[in-house]
Amino acid sequence: MNPQLRNLFRKGTPDAAAIDAFIAAAEFPLVDGRDVTFVYRGAADAVHLRCWISGLDTAQPFQALAGTDLWATTIDLPKGSRIEYKFEVSSNGHRELVLDPLNGVLAHDPFGANSVCQGYGYERPAWTLADTGARQGEIHASRLHSTVFGEDRDIQVYLPARFRPKRRYPLLVVHDGVDYLNFAAFKVVLDNLIHALEIPAMIVALLQSPDRLVEYGADERHARFVNDELLPHMAAHFPLIDDPVARGILGASFGAVASLHTAWRNPGHFGQLLLQSGSFAFSDIGRHNRGPVFDPVAEFMNEFREQPGRPAERIYMSCGIYESLIYENRSLVPKLQEQGIDVRFEEARDAHNWENWRDRLRTGLTWLFPGPLWMVYE
Amino acid sequence: MNATAPVRVLLGPQSPEPNVAQAVAASGLPDGPLAVVSAGWQETEGDIDEMRSVLARQLEDLHLYRREEQLLAALPELAAAARLRQEQLIEQQRLYRLRLKQLSLAARQVMRADGDADLLAAEQRHAIAQLRALDRHHLYRTELIWRRFSSVNGPDLHPELARHIREIQDIVDRSNGIVLTGGNVAVLINRLRLFEVDRMLEVNNVVAWSAGAMALTGRIVLFHDHAPEGRRDAEILCAGCNTVSGYVFLPDASRRLRKADRQRVSFFSRRFAPDQCIALDTGNELQLRGSAIVRVNGARKLGSKGRVSAVKVK
């Protein structure tokens, strides 16, 4: 039992007032080195921890703590881990997924929010927090007509602080760009890293697909949209460095597939790729088992793995160790390196979520786009 | 010590606590105006009010950054030549870096290898000699690019450039010395060379910190052991003004350099010998007359045995 809980029960069953005091004083979940104890208080028939960690059961049962309305379960969480979770509370035949009522730390994503467990040794990186001292870039709306998709497409464009039209800037194209802004503190990260001279001032095109599972799933139309329509639009409206080295694509999950696919279809156009938790499903033999939405992805990845070509000069990849996609990502690294591509691969004790992707941005961006820090001696 | 030689005051970063006023006072630099080069700050060049209040002297910024922007906007031919020069320098640096990465990796492995002491010592010497040869080659190639540019883009061919140089010379002549601030060392050295301030530095008193101090040396060494994109090997950027020869200055070394790693320190020191590698942290000061050190405050040198020790007045 967790030492704090043991202490609560040391003189027998605690009364409601003692439990109130315990809950008010403790931080939840209870982290004791690698042992992390989740606590739920309330009437229920059963409580389960749902945390979608590859390698663990998707539902860990809680135990009722005798004589109280407390429930607890303990998992082993290695140092530096960060996981997102919910509680599944069963009562009178109903099951409900709820946030941890005792934990105010939340992570948001397009589907809502999850509770966050920051394991022993995890700290949110300072560069992901707004810094009032950092000069602020600006987000501008831009619209272009896409012949490929037969409609107008809205994009958002990040312009760095002290943007000057006479200067030329690198361009980064970001899939799910609005989600990156909302859930991965992307503007804060850009402002902070540019201010710290860790990356150069750059222009960022933030895309948001209306049908990402189709368009980002190795859809040839999307590759044409980015290369043949977005790039000329950006070059016509913004001062860009006309060099593949200064041109990159970023994406996570299906966005990483779209990034790799776009660069693969247009070799020599994008020098830098930043691929996070890529949904790089493939099948060496037989069929993949990830569902029909992955069919075009697996078809592309199978072809890509046979003939990778040279989609970019440098590729930064990251993936959570607690994702099932870790296998696909790990196995892609040597394939890329065999092509002479400079590849950097980073694993994190995290899962398939926006904060994992947020926390890896500094390493990826600074490696692909090193800033003038190297040249600046204040 | 040559008492008539110009004063050279070299300092570490002036943030958070500047020591430039104390250092200037201690140097015996006569009262009077100083010319300032803050081109390394790029767009914020000339923002020297704080320095003015600290030094309590008349300061006049030479505005090398702004002058170059004006000059290149007015002279498209010169702008094209400057762009070509920069592209060549960047490409040269890229190629140098490719070779450096492999040579440096091999040298570090040999430095850490176990085995017969005599055999190892010979291989270590040779590994470092290879690095030094590459550094020399790079320095030669970058100088060649600069000479090609300067030979057809000097003030004799561009009257507008000559006019700027005369204006700068006039300001320097009215001053008791030149102050070089920190900032982007590549931006700084490019402007110092274009406007021939390197020549003016030679005969004037100079106070310089961080990038400014680096620009005064014979070769500019870039370094950062804790860069966010991962450790990089120290690189030579190009030749400096050579106003102060025989030294490699390492500003902010406590933050940028792994000084506790004796092998790293030894490697660094041996690679750039016979130049002395000197760490200049905030609050540190080194004063020279000619090439002789006449005053030290906190500056430390990197030794060939991997120790970091206080610099002594010679």
Side-chain angles (χ1 to χ4, degrees):
Chain A
M1 185 183 263
N2 171 275
Q4 287 172 267
L5 280 176
R6 197 185 312 129
N7 191 40
L8 176 66
F9 280 84
R10 76 185 189 285
K11 292 179 184 165
T13 305
D15 59 18
I19 295 174
D20 287 345
F22 167 72
I23 284 176
E27 279 187 26
F28 296 92
L30 304 169
V31 178
D32 178 30
R34 288 176 64 121
D35 290 336
V36 177
T37 300
F38 297 84
V39 176
Y40 177 74
R41 187 183 192 190
D45 298 330
V47 181
H48 286 84
L49 173 71
R50 299 292 299 267
C51 56
W52 306 283
I53 290 180
S54 181
L56 291 183
D57 292 337
T58 53
Q60 307 270 325
F62 279 59
Q63 286 188 329
L65 302 185
T68 70
D69 56 355
L70 290 176
W71 300 73
T73 189
T74 299
I75 64 169
D76 172 37
L77 203 58
K79 187 179 178 184
S81 297
R82 183 195 155 284
I83 60 168
E84 298 187 8
Y85 66 97
K86 279 195 171 84
F87 291 164
E88 184 183 274
V89 181
S90 303
S91 191
N92 299 322
H94 295 289
R95 285 191 299 182
E96 191 184 5
L97 278 176
V98 298
L99 296 170
D100 180 348
L102 302 180
N103 179 7
V105 183
L106 301 178
H108 297 269
D109 64 24
F111 309 105
N114 287 315
S115 296
V116 176
C117 168
Q118 299 177 342
Y120 166 66
Y122 173 85
E123 269 187 50
R124 179 173 175 173
W127 48 268
T128 68
L129 299 167
D131 176 358
T132 51
R135 287 181 287 271
Q136 307 284 304
E138 291 179 354
I139 304 281
H140 294 258
S142 184
R143 175 173 288 181
L144 70 154
H145 181 73
S146 169
T147 308
V148 172
F149 288 117
E151 62 184 19
D152 287 349
R153 286 285 167 109
D154 289 323
I155 58 168
Q156 299 204 35
V157 178
Y158 170 88
L159 298 182
R162 300 198 295 194
F163 170 76
R164 298 167 77 209
K166 284 188 178 173
R167 273 203 168 187
R168 301 216 164 261
Y169 296 87
L171 172 69
L172 180 66
V173 176
V174 181
H175 292 94
D176 297 312
V178 177
D179 291 340
Y180 264 100
L181 291 176
N182 292 336
F183 309 123
F186 196 52
K187 181 176 179 296
V188 169
V189 171
L190 288 170
D191 286 343
N192 286 348
L193 296 184
I194 291 171
H195 183 77
L197 308 172
E198 294 187 1
I199 58 172
M202 60 170 66
I203 292 174
V204 181
L206 301 143
L207 311 181
Q208 195 74 17
S209 166
D211 191 6
R212 67 185 296 281
L213 288 181
V214 172
E215 292 181 4
Y216 288 180
D219 186 330
E220 175 269 339
R221 294 174 305 161
H222 176 76
R224 276 199 288 136
F225 167 66
V226 171
N227 191 69
D228 302 347
E229 297 182 337
L230 177 71
L231 287 190
H233 171 83
M234 293 300 294
H237 292 87
F238 302 97
L240 303 177
I241 300 170
D242 185 19
D243 186 337
V245 172
R247 207 177 291 136
I249 321 183
L250 157 67
S253 192
F254 264 54
V257 175
S259 304
L260 181 63
H261 179 252
T262 300
W264 180 69
R265 282 194 166 271
N266 300 283
H269 289 207
F270 299 93
Q272 322 286 345
L273 292 184
L274 203 163
L275 311 176
Q276 301 194 295
S277 303
S279 303
F280 300 133
F282 68 96
S283 53
D284 282 324
I285 187 168
R287 282 186 54 76
H288 68 91
N289 56 1
R290 289 187 175 271
V293 76
F294 277 84
D295 284 350
V297 175
E299 191 181 332
F300 158 60
M301 288 307 300
N302 287 347
E303 191 178 348
F304 179 83
R305 292 170 66 87
E306 282 296 315
Q307 294 183 319
R310 204 176 165 90
E313 292 300 307
R314 305 186 97 199
I315 300 180
Y316 169 88
M317 293 173 59
S318 70
C319 193
I321 292 172
Y322 305 146
E323 306 185 50
S324 66
L325 287 163
I326 189 74
Y327 164 75
E328 285 85 347
N329 278 268
R330 281 177 180 155
S331 73
L332 190 59
V333 174
K335 292 272 181 201
L336 296 169
Q337 286 172 330
E338 281 165 16
Q339 303 306 308
I341 298 168
D342 204 359
V343 181
R344 182 160 178 183
F345 179 54
E346 188 181 15
E347 297 185 357
R349 292 199 176 277
D350 209 320
H352 199 76
N353 62 64
W354 286 97
E355 294 192 358
N356 175 13
W357 302 330
R358 176 197 69 195
D359 290 358
R360 313 276 88 74
L361 284 171
R362 184 190 189 209
T363 320
L365 288 172
T366 57
W367 189 67
L368 295 173
F369 296 96
L373 182 63
W374 183 242
M375 294 281 188
V376 174
Y377 302 78
E378 293 289 3
Chain B
M1 184 181 86
N2 180 355
T4 60
V7 176
R8 276 80 175 85
V9 177
L10 296 320
L11 307 170
Q14 293 301 293
S15 167
E17 282 298 316
N19 65 332
V20 62
Q22 299 93 308
V24 167
S27 72
L29 203 68
D31 284 339
L34 296 171
V36 177
V37 177
S38 61
W41 294 345
Q42 298 171 265
E43 287 88 357
T44 54
E45 176 189 59
D47 189 2
I48 55 173
D49 285 350
E50 198 180 326
M51 198 194 314
R52 204 170 267 130
S53 68
V54 165
L55 279 171
R57 284 178 186 238
Q58 187 188 334
L59 302 179
E60 188 166 359
D61 201 294
L62 298 177
H63 287 296
L64 304 187
Y65 187 80
R66 197 180 70 195
R67 285 176 192 275
E68 196 215 44
E69 291 222 319
Q70 288 170 353
L71 193 64
L72 299 190
L75 302 174
E77 272 179 44
L78 182 61
R83 194 160 46 245
L84 177 66
R85 180 201 70 210
Q86 281 314 108
E87 284 169 2
Q88 289 176 337
L89 286 170
I90 289 167
E91 179 64 1
Q92 172 61 36
Q93 198 74 19
R94 188 181 73 83
L95 295 170
Y96 164 63
R97 198 173 291 145
L98 277 179
R99 300 178 64 198
L100 178 64
K101 188 176 174 183
Q102 305 304 328
L103 273 186
S104 183
L105 176 66
R108 281 201 308 272
Q109 287 179 340
V110 170
M111 297 289 275
R112 285 179 160 78
D114 294 324
D116 181 281
D118 288 342
L119 287 177
L120 267 179
E123 291 311 305
Q124 288 172 353
R125 274 197 305 275
H126 192 253
I128 288 176
Q130 284 186 308
L131 268 176
R132 289 160 58 89
L134 177 63
D135 288 342
R136 276 196 306 275
H137 172 75
H138 179 63
L139 204 57
Y140 168 74
R141 296 294 301 172
T142 50
E143 269 306 286
L144 209 57
I145 293 168
W146 261 106
R147 278 181 203 161
R148 271 193 215 126
F149 168 81
S150 303
S151 65
V152 289
N153 290 288
D156 46 337
L157 294 159
H158 293 292
E160 189 60 10
L161 173 59
R163 181 183 68 77
H164 278 290
I165 293 173
R166 278 197 306 277
E167 284 180 12
I168 292 164
Q169 183 74 66
D170 285 348
I171 297 170
V172 169
D173 289 345
R174 292 198 300 269
S175 308
N176 282 344
I178 303 173
V179 177
L180 300 185
T181 73
N184 186 313
V185 69
V187 169
L188 178 61
I189 190 66
N190 288 352
R191 274 72 184 170
L192 291 173
R193 293 184 76 148
L194 179 69
F195 293 109
E196 300 187 352
V197 179
D198 50 350
R199 178 176 50 74
M200 302 175 204
L201 288 166
E202 216 173 296
V203 293
N204 279 279
N205 298 317
V206 178
V207 178
W209 63 83
S210 296
M214 295 165 80
L216 294 179
T217 60
R219 50 188 174 166
I220 295 170
V221 176
L222 307 174
F223 68 103
H224 203 319
D225 287 350
H226 307 287
E229 70 270 23
R231 192 180 71 181
R232 290 172 66 167
D233 295 304
E235 290 173 15
I236 287 180
L237 174 68
C238 62
C241 299
N242 207 23
T243 315
V244 176
S245 57
Y247 299 98
V248 169
F249 294 126
L250 308 169
D252 209 9
S254 288
R255 216 167 49 83
R256 297 178 78 118
L257 198 68
R258 290 192 298 147
K259 287 198 296 186
D261 182 341
R262 290 186 66 159
Q263 269 182 331
R264 181 111 179 121
V265 168
S266 163
F267 185 64
F268 208 106
S269 162
R270 291 171 67 183
R271 178 175 164 196
F272 296 112
D275 290 354
Q276 249 187 58
C277 297
I278 296 190
L280 287 173
D281 283 309
T282 298
N284 291 176
E285 174 197 344
L286 193 68
Q287 197 191 119
L288 291 96
R289 288 264 181 182
S291 58
I293 296 172
V294 296
R295 181 182 153 90
V296 181
N297 183 7
R300 295 168 77 77
K301 65 179 178 189
L302 276 56
S304 60
K305 305 281 186 205
R307 277 196 293 270
V308 181
S309 56
V311 176
K312 294 201 171 77
V313 174
K314 286 175 184 169

